[in-house]
Amino acid sequence: VQLVESGGGLVQAGGSLNLSCAASASMYAMGWFRQVPGKEREFVSAVRRSGGGTTYTDSVKGRFSISRVNAKNTVYLRMNSLKPEDTAVYYCAGRGAFLSDTYLSMERFYNYWGQGTQVTVSS
């Protein structure tokens, strides 16, 4: 299974970016994590296939929006009102099997990962 991300780049603070991630197989849960040098990878957002339930880390609530098109095995992350602290490498993650909503934010439950895409927000 492969996850291919696209859409990162450089944007000024207050701007917007769209990320997308296409999986080569159907995923039950798909999510986004991010990492800055010297820090652990952190959860950003996730969505499950059934019912489209979503979850976000507190720091992006109201600014980021996750969505997916199941027929395309693709997940999107719309990032608005970007801040310099959003600068990171963003990774797409996927899990084929069922996963309780309780665990959607936990990195260790995802089986597949993309290569990462850099998002840089300038002040």
Side-chain angles (χ1 to χ4, degrees):
V1 177
Q2 290 185 323
L3 302 181
V4 179
E5 300 139 342
S6 61
L10 172 65
V11 66
Q12 289 188 330
S16 298
L17 278 176
N18 292 313
L19 303 182
S20 63
C21 172
S24 60
S26 178
M27 295 285 120
Y28 177 82
M30 298 187 77
W32 293 94
F33 291 75
R34 64 187 180 187
Q35 187 172 27
V36 298
K39 293 189 176 182
E40 293 185 354
R41 191 155 54 186
E42 67 170 358
F43 170 75
V44 176
S45 183
V47 58
R48 51 177 165 79
R49 182 175 61 219
S50 59
T54 60
T55 185
Y56 300 88
T57 191
D58 286 346
S59 63
V60 307
K61 284 180 180 177
R63 300 189 297 122
F64 290 12
S65 178
I66 192 169
S67 61
R68 65 185 290 172
V69 177
N70 291 334
K72 296 182 177 180
N73 297 326
T74 300
V75 64
Y76 305 93
L77 187 67
R78 171 69 176 180
M79 303 185 292
N80 294 325
S81 302
L82 282 161
K83 304 175 181 180
E85 51 264 43
D86 294 318
T87 295
V89 177
Y90 283 69
Y91 294 92
C92 177
R95 177 182 169 94
F98 170 82
L99 181 66
S100 170
D101 287 358
T102 303
Y103 306 114
L104 282 174
S105 63
M106 299 182 184
E107 178 178 347
R108 65 182 182 272
F109 289 104
Y110 289 86
N111 309 101
Y112 308 104
W113 292 87
Q115 77 282 2
T117 185
Q118 177 69 46
V119 171
T120 302
V121 184
S122 62
S123 57

